[in-house]
Structures are given as C-alpha cells and as structure tokens.
Amino acid sequence: MHATLPLMRRFGFPAIRRARLETLQVNLGYKCNQTCVHCHVNAGPTRTELMSRDTIADVLAFLGVSGMRCLDVTGGAPELNPHFRELVLRTRELGVHVIDRCNLTILEEPGQEGLAEFLAAQRVEVVASLPCYLEDNVDRQRGKGVFAKSVRAILRLNALGYGIPATGLELNLVYNPQGASLPPPQAALEADYKRVLGERYGIAFNRLYTLANMPIQRFGSTLISKGQFNGYMALLHRAHRDENLETVMCRSLVSVDWLGYVYDCDFNQMLGLPLVVDGRKRVHLSELIGRDLEGNAIAVRDHCYGCTAGQGSSCGGALA
Ligand code: SF4
Ligand code: SF4
C-alpha cells in the first residue's frame, strides 16, 4: 500500500484549536465479520487486536470525570470485543449517550443473539454504513450478500422501534461516494434513500450522513495507483469552505485507538498522526483523566480538506 502521509503538506491547512470536548470515539479493535474492499483499518475475521478490559476501564474512568456527553464506539465490528456490552452498560449508567458504529450484518453472527434487543434496551444510537440503496453497488463494496443481510438487520431494528421518530431510537445510515468525487447534497440524497428503501423494502431510518472519502489508507493508495491522487487533493482544496472550520469534528472529539492512545480524530489515528499535548506525541487516555484539552492545537495536514470541502464532512454527516 502507498503511504499518503508524506504527500499531505502541499497546500497547508489552516491552524485550528480544540473547543470543549463532547465526544470520545473509541476503536474497540480490528476484528470484524466482514472484509470490505474499502475498509480503512483492514479489519477482518482473522485480526486479533482488541481493546483490553484494563483499557476499557481507562475509558470509563475518563468518561466518569470528563463530563463528556457521548461515547462513539467503532472498530472493526465493535460488538466483537468481548467487553462491548459491559462498556455500553457502564457508560449508560453514567448517563452518557452511546453511538454504535454497527455494520448491520453483525446482528446475524453466531454469538450475537440478543444484540439488537440489547442496543434498544440501552437506547444506543446505531450508525450504519449503507453506501448505496442498490444491491449490486453495496455487495461490490462490502461483499456478496451484504445488502440482503443489511436489509434484514434494518427491518429487525425497525421492529424494535429504531428509525421510528416517536420512539427516539436513532438509526442513521452513512453514504460515501464510490470514487474520487464529492458527495451529493445530503438532504436530497436522504430523500432518495428514504423513498427507494421505503418503497422496495419497507425500511425506515432517521438520517443519512454523507461523507467524503478521505485520501488516506486504501482509498488514498488506490488514487495514487490510478494517477488520481493529485487531482482529488486539488478538488478537495478548491472546494474548501472556511466556515466549515468551526464545526470539524476534531474540535469537540478525541479518538482513542485499541491500545488507549489518543488522536485528534479517527483519520489521524489511521495515519498514525497523534494528538500532541505539551509537545508529547504519544499520549495515553489514562494520562488525560481530569485534563482540559480546550485550546490545544489540532494536528492538521492536507487530508483535512476532506472535512471542509463543499458541504463538509464529519462522523455526523455534512457540516453546512
Ligand atoms: S464492516 Fe467496517 S470495519 Fe468491517 S471490514 Fe467493513 S468497513 Fe471494515
Ligand atoms: S481530518 Fe478532519 S477531523 Fe481530522 S484533524 Fe483534520 S479536520 Fe480535524
């Protein structure tokens, strides 16, 4: 795979600083029941990296004193971490909102019986990737049969009240373009998704988040191989909008890797670009318990234009 980090200093990205922390995003490990071609962490069934119970205790200790409002769990398939349910239960006891970045197909895996009911009982928000409303496109990106399984999973979640506005159980879907282009306007695409998935499959969901593809890891490497990297970077740079700088997710989120080390966001985690505190570049979450990061400089490079181009992109969809 081609390294993209050395190519991220051509344009220079405006300096930004942290605001008040609201969300802790935690990668529970790289084990996954799927092996999607675009996976930016190379997750799969044979990966063994999983966050330990001790590190999960650090996460809970941090949440307990930080006053943060949200824990956002990701992976791999975060539910495959043996401590997933304990982490969710204890976080909810703290009164903290939980987002599960769920691949949907995990609901049908052996050993995951009762998962959908557990998520509903704990009022966990489910955010799930569904890169298209057409079966062929999803199966090409995420594996054969994934679309059909995803539809079954959404119907199961709908039956528990997910995606039905009156219940407050949130089910949000995520779209990203198939290639080197910016996502279309979020509201219009959400309307299309709701119409097509509703008419064909009787599916309901709350919101569609459209995300730009980040020019890093496997996607960035593919762009380099195809000679499209510079063109895509120039597209992101041209489409940059200063007003998106106020709301990029790194201003209010920290990202934690499976070993407990912290980054300004998930993309920086994947690039190995750590959060820097007092000049130190490898800081463990346990060292930040009780520490206020407001005003801390954020580690930015040219990939950050993926967050500020056009309508903007964050783990909660468009910014504009
Ligand atoms: S479901 Fe997500 S974590 Fe798993 S392989 Fe696909 S993209 Fe990677
Ligand atoms: S990639 Fe986006 S979220 Fe991450 S540091 Fe850059 S602007 Fe912030």
Side-chain angles (χ1 to χ4, degrees):
M1 193 155 67
H2 300 285
T4 49
L5 187 58
L7 306 174
M8 293 297 178
R9 288 184 182 274
R10 180 172 156 210
F11 296 108
F13 190 82
I16 46 177
R17 289 189 176 272
R18 295 195 148 275
R20 198 180 129 87
L21 270 185
E22 290 177 0
T23 300
L24 189 67
Q25 190 172 63
V26 174
N27 189 316
L28 292 186
Y30 301 149
K31 191 168 179 176
C32 188
N33 56 311
Q34 289 185 197
T35 46
C36 305
V37 285
H38 65 285
C39 182
H40 63 280
V41 290
N42 269 336
T46 57
R47 297 298 296 260
T48 53
E49 301 89 339
L50 287 170
M51 184 174 277
S52 69
R53 199 152 187 253
D54 284 351
T55 307
I56 283 178
D58 291 335
V59 169
L60 288 164
F62 185 85
L63 288 172
V65 300
S66 67
M68 289 177 108
R69 297 191 312 204
C70 181
L71 174 71
D72 183 337
V73 287
T74 181
E79 306 86 350
L80 289 177
N81 185 302
H83 314 297
F84 170 80
R85 293 194 196 196
E86 185 188 351
L87 172 63
V88 172
L89 281 168
R90 299 211 28 214
T91 303
R92 296 295 291 134
E93 281 167 12
L94 294 170
V96 173
H97 180 70
V98 177
I99 297 173
D100 177 26
R101 299 209 171 245
C102 173
N103 67 17
L104 295 173
T105 61
I106 193 71
L107 295 183
E108 294 194 354
E109 285 295 299
Q112 296 297 327
E113 295 79 12
L115 175 61
E117 291 75 11
F118 171 80
L119 295 173
Q122 295 302 319
R123 305 195 67 76
V124 171
E125 177 182 340
V126 174
V127 176
S129 179
L130 194 68
C132 189
Y133 46 69
L134 299 175
E135 183 163 7
D136 283 356
N137 286 344
V138 172
D139 282 5
R140 205 174 312 122
Q141 256 198 39
R142 296 178 69 77
K144 198 165 166 43
V146 166
F147 184 82
K149 278 189 188 177
S150 300
V151 166
R152 285 199 299 272
I154 295 174
L155 287 169
R156 197 162 156 191
L157 291 167
N158 285 163
L160 291 164
Y162 270 103
I164 317 296
T167 65
L169 287 171
E170 290 242 355
L171 169 60
N172 298 314
L173 302 182
V174 178
Y175 162 90
N176 60 288
Q178 306 262 328
S181 56
L182 292 177
Q186 183 165 281
L189 190 65
E190 180 181 293
D192 285 350
Y193 260 66
K194 285 193 167 163
R195 180 175 48 78
V196 175
L197 292 174
E199 284 173 6
R200 292 190 188 166
Y201 308 105
I203 279 175
F205 65 95
N206 296 94
R207 306 221 23 227
L208 180 74
Y209 297 150
T210 57
L211 304 187
N213 287 315
M214 274 284 158
I216 61 172
Q217 299 294 96
R218 198 174 288 166
F219 181 70
S221 179
T222 305
L223 290 178
I224 293 172
S225 300
K226 290 181 172 173
Q228 296 175 343
F229 184 83
N230 288 340
Y232 186 63
M233 292 304 296
L235 170 72
L236 295 179
H237 181 241
R238 268 197 315 276
H240 165 78
R241 282 165 53 180
D242 258 350
E243 62 266 34
N244 289 331
L245 290 171
E246 280 305 308
T247 42
V248 283
M249 63 183 175
C250 50
R251 289 174 54 84
S252 59
L253 166 153
V254 280
S255 167
V256 184
D257 71 12
W258 68 279
L259 289 167
Y261 292 96
V262 290
Y263 303 80
D264 285 299
C265 73
D266 190 42
F267 305 123
N268 286 10
Q269 185 184 141
M270 296 313 144
L271 281 168
L273 192 61
L275 184 149
V276 179
V277 183
D278 301 334
R280 286 184 51 230
K281 288 187 174 172
R282 190 164 162 81
V283 180
H284 197 268
L285 184 66
S286 56
E287 300 171 83
L288 293 181
I289 293 172
R291 163 118 200 195
D292 184 3
L293 287 177
E294 194 162 344
N296 205 69
I298 294 167
V300 292
R301 296 285 190 279
D302 286 355
H303 67 291
C304 296
Y305 287 110
C307 292
T308 57
Q311 62 190 335
S313 247
S314 75
C315 52
L319 301 174

